[in-house]
Each structure stands twice: as structure tokens, then as C-alpha cells.
């Protein structure tokens, strides 16, 4: 009925005989990340994903392309911090309508009444829509990103979990070159896929919230959701003992590569103790145990080498000699 809506927004329709349900659907940019910065690229649209990748690599490749596959080895994609708008609604993409016949075997438009909670087969239609969403996001986002970076000699290191959007964690981790989890999120599907398929590395975006242990989280009611309120009396309390304890927890759950999420760059001239952000470890050259970081790094590197050798079918602890 869209053609029956005039430029003023007025809807005029000469309804045929019968009982009719007229539903109004509105689409608008969505996918705001929880930091309040958005909207995101439409993950079900291969065209949108390729547009984003081409724009980004069009700027990076001329300067950094000579390092691809050597100094720069992989591309990480972060967790799905997708948030529905406060006024409600669900994820939607024109690709869902366009590709429904090929995936579901029928056109979706005549069954959109299910989204309004009416009509026969409502549960089945919604299940089909979620299956369609899962398949398109895996194919048009994860597989497209992997193919794109592989063509440039790079690997894909995705975090495929978190809220919003339908995807199959096991099958999506299966197509990852390096499955990755996060500090607070242990995903067994990442371990299963790596072990079954012989992927030698299981990565963790580590120490993401080591500093949040010393802060207060609150919900500010905005689009961004959770925000951080710092407690000045508890800042700069990251210690080698904390890092070692968190590292051991990762090793115990199957991780064999730790990616330190961040620590703040504090150049000379910045007042002590330096710059910092909320999702980091309290570490820079002004911290008293900065010289001891080398010992932690060597300990971590050796543990990771042993664990990766045990995971890699072609590796072995004897390689350490």
C-alpha cells in the first residue's frame, strides 16, 4: 500500500470487500552502539559491508599495504554492541526481503503481519525471520569481511558474540581464522570450533575491565546505557598480581593468546599520573611497576607458546628448545 501514501503522508485507499488489517511499518537508521555512536553498517547487506571496507581500506592500503601479512597480520572486529532504539523495534534490512525467497523458499512481504502479532503461523514466520537474519549476517558480514581481508594477505579475528542480531556462534566462529572472546565473556563455542577444526590460536581481548573493578557503573538512561563514574580514590590500582590472576583464568578456559585491550598513551609533558580511559589497565611509564612489566610479558609469552604448541597439530613443546 506504500504507493497509496501521498507526499503529505496522507493514506487514501479504496479497500476491496472484506476484513482488512492495515499495518504501518516505519524504518529508520538503527544499530546504535552502546557508546551512543552510530549508526552501524547494515550487516545483512553485502553491498553496505563492502562499501564500508572499501572506504576504510582505501585510506589504509596506500600507506600500510606493504605491511599486510608481515607486520600487520589480522583484522579484528569487535563484539556486537548493538542496541535497539529506546522507542522499540527490531533489526530490519532491505536484504531480508530481497533474499527471503532464496533462503526461505517464499516471499516475506505477504507474511509481515506476523511482525504485528496477527495471522496464522505467527511463530513459524518469526522463526523463519530469525533464521534468515542468521544466514544473511554470516554470509554477508562475516564471510564477506573474511574474504575481503584474505585477498589482502590478512586474517580475520572476530568477536561474534554480544547482544542484538541473530547469529550462530559455533558456525560463525568456525569461519574465523582466530576466534576471540573478551575479558568478561567466556564463549565455549570459540573453544569448540578451534579444537574441532584445528585452529591453533584462541584469542582474548583481555583486561578490558580490569580498571572497572575500581569504579562504579551506573545506568544514565541515555541511548548509551551503561556509563562509568570514576572513583578517584581507587584509580591506578592495577598490579602485576591482578594481571597474572586474570591471565591464568584465561589460560584455564582455553585461551592461548592474550591481547591487552589498551593502556593510555601518556607522552612526556602530560601531568602525572597521565592520560587514561575507562576500559584499560592502569599502566604507563609513570606507574611504579612499569619496569616489572617485562617479567609479566615474558611469563605470558612462554605460557602462550606452550599452549599454542599443544593446540597446533603440527606443533610441540619440543619446539621451545
Amino acid at each position: 500500500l506504500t504507493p497509496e501514501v501521498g507526499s503529505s503522508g496522507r493514506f487514501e485507499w479504496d479497500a476491496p470487500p472484506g476484513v482488512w488489517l492495515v499495518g504501518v511499518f516505519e524504518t529508520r537508521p538503527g544499530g546504535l552502539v552502546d557508546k551512543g555512536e552510530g549508526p552501524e553498517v547494515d550487516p545483512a547487506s553485502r553491498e553496505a559491508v563492502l562499501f564500508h571496507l572499501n572506504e576504510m581500506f582505501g585510506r589504509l592500503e596506500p600507506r600500510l599495504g606493504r605491511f599486510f601479512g608481515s607486520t600487520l597480520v589480522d583484522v579484528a572486529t569487535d563484539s556486537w554492541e548493538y542496541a535497539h532504539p529506546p522507542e522499540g523495534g527490531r533489526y530490519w534490512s532491505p536484504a531480508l526481503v530481497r533474499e527471503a525467497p532464496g533462503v526461505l523458499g517464499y516471499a516475506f512481504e505477504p507474511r509481515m503481519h506476523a511482525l504485528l502479532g496477527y495471522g496464522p503461523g505467527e511463530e513459524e514466520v518469526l522463526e523463519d525471520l530469525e533464521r534468515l537474519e542468521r544466514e544473511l549476517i554470516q554470509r554477508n558480514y562475516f564471510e564477506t569481511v573474511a574474504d575481503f581481508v584474505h585477498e589482502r594477505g590478512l586474517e580475520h579475528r572476530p568477536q561474534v558474540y554480544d547482544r542484538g542480531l541473530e547469529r550462530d556462534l559455533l558456525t560463525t566462529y568456525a569461519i574465523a581464522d582466530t576466534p576471540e572472546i573478551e575479558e568478561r565473556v567466556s564463549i565455549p563455542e570459540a573453544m569448540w570450533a578451534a579444537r574441532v577444526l584445528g585452529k591453533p590460536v584462541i584469542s582474548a581481548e583481555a583486561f578490558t575491565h580490569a580498571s572497572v573493578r575500581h569504579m562504579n557503573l551506573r545506568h544514565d538512561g541515555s541511548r548509551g546505557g551503561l556509563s562509568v563514574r570514576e572513583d578517584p580514590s581507587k584509580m591506578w590500582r592495577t598490579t602485576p598480581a591482578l594481571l597474572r590472576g586474570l591471565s591464568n583464568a584465561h589460560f584455564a578456559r582455553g585461551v592461548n593468546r592474550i591481547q591487552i585491550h589498551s593502556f593510555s598513551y601518556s607522552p612526556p609533558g602530560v601531568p602525572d599520573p597521565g592520560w587514561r580511559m575507562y576500559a584499560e589497565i592502569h599502566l604507563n611509564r609513570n606507574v611504579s611497576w612499569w619496569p616489572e612489566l617485562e617479567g609479566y610479558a615474558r611469563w605470558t609469552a612462554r605460557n602462550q607458546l606452550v599452549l599454542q604448541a599443544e593446540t597446533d597439530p603440527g606443533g610441540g613443546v619440543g619446539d621451545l628448545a
Side-chain angles (χ1 to χ4, degrees):
L1 297 177
T2 300
E4 310 297 334
V5 180
S7 58
S8 65
R10 182 180 176 86
F11 171 59
E12 295 184 3
W13 178 46
D14 187 9
V19 179
W20 296 89
L21 167 70
V22 178
V24 178
F25 295 93
E26 176 189 12
T27 59
R28 54 189 177 274
L32 284 173
V33 298
D34 66 355
K35 307 298 186 299
E37 301 171 358
E40 296 182 349
V41 172
D42 180 1
S45 168
R46 187 171 186 272
E47 294 77 12
V49 172
L50 285 175
F51 176 84
H52 174 70
L53 290 171
N54 282 315
E55 284 287 313
M56 182 171 62
F57 275 81
R59 302 179 186 185
L60 296 176
E61 205 158 3
R63 299 185 178 187
L64 302 177
R66 65 186 184 277
F67 301 116
F68 289 178
S70 55
T71 304
L72 302 176
V73 296
D74 64 20
V75 173
T77 50
D78 205 358
S79 52
W80 286 89
E81 299 178 5
Y82 179 98
H84 294 291
E87 57 269 24
R90 63 167 295 143
Y91 165 71
W92 187 256
S93 168
L96 296 174
V97 172
R98 185 172 63 249
E99 302 199 38
V103 176
L104 304 179
Y106 63 84
F108 194 76
E109 298 101 310
R111 306 195 184 191
M112 287 181 67
H113 55 76
L115 300 179
L116 298 173
Y118 293 92
E122 176 189 349
E123 292 184 3
E124 292 80 1
V125 173
L126 293 177
E127 288 177 2
D128 283 350
L129 180 59
E130 292 181 354
R131 176 164 65 91
L132 175 63
E133 188 177 319
R134 283 195 300 272
E135 182 161 333
L136 294 191
I137 288 175
Q138 176 164 326
R139 182 204 311 164
N140 294 336
Y141 179 79
F142 287 105
E143 293 182 10
T144 296
V145 173
D147 291 343
F148 186 93
V149 300
H150 289 167
E151 291 172 359
R152 288 154 178 80
L154 298 164
E155 294 188 343
H156 190 204
R157 175 165 52 89
Q159 301 173 9
V160 306
Y161 56 87
D162 219 322
R163 58 197 172 278
L165 306 180
E166 290 292 328
R167 66 263 183 226
D168 187 298
L169 297 180
L170 184 59
T171 59
T172 307
Y173 269 128
I175 64 174
D177 297 302
T178 301
E180 182 165 281
I181 67 170
E182 190 181 344
E183 177 71 41
R184 300 178 300 165
V185 187
S186 179
I187 305 294
E189 288 85 351
M191 319 305 171
W192 299 338
R195 292 290 181 173
V196 171
L197 299 176
K199 298 177 186 292
V201 176
I202 305 166
S203 176
E205 179 191 9
F207 315 144
T208 315
H209 290 83
S211 62
V212 174
R213 292 166 177 262
H214 313 305
M215 298 181 184
N216 299 316
L217 285 176
R218 64 187 176 88
H219 195 286
D220 60 8
S222 69
R223 283 175 177 259
L226 287 177
S227 63
V228 175
R229 177 180 293 162
E230 298 184 5
D231 183 345
S233 68
K234 296 182 179 180
M235 293 173 63
W236 302 100
R237 290 194 178 184
T238 302
T239 64
L242 175 62
L243 298 186
R244 179 163 177 154
L246 293 173
S247 300
N248 279 328
H250 280 304
F251 295 151
R253 63 171 58 103
V255 168
N256 58 17
R257 180 196 287 167
I258 287 178
Q259 306 271 357
I260 297 181
H261 177 264
S262 64
F263 57 90
S264 294
Y265 169 61
S266 295
V270 174
D272 293 345
W275 292 338
R276 54 182 308 278
M277 62 174 289
Y278 80 94
E280 54 137 4
I281 57 178
H282 301 162
L283 174 64
N284 62 29
R285 71 190 73 190
N286 300 319
V287 174
S288 60
W289 56 270
W290 171 264
E292 310 303 324
L293 184 63
E294 182 179 358
Y296 163 77
R298 289 183 178 276
W299 171 83
T300 306
R302 182 172 180 83
N303 280 333
Q304 292 178 160
L305 187 59
V306 172
L307 292 171
Q308 289 175 23
E310 292 176 348
T311 306
D312 186 353
V317 178
D319 298 337
L320 293 174

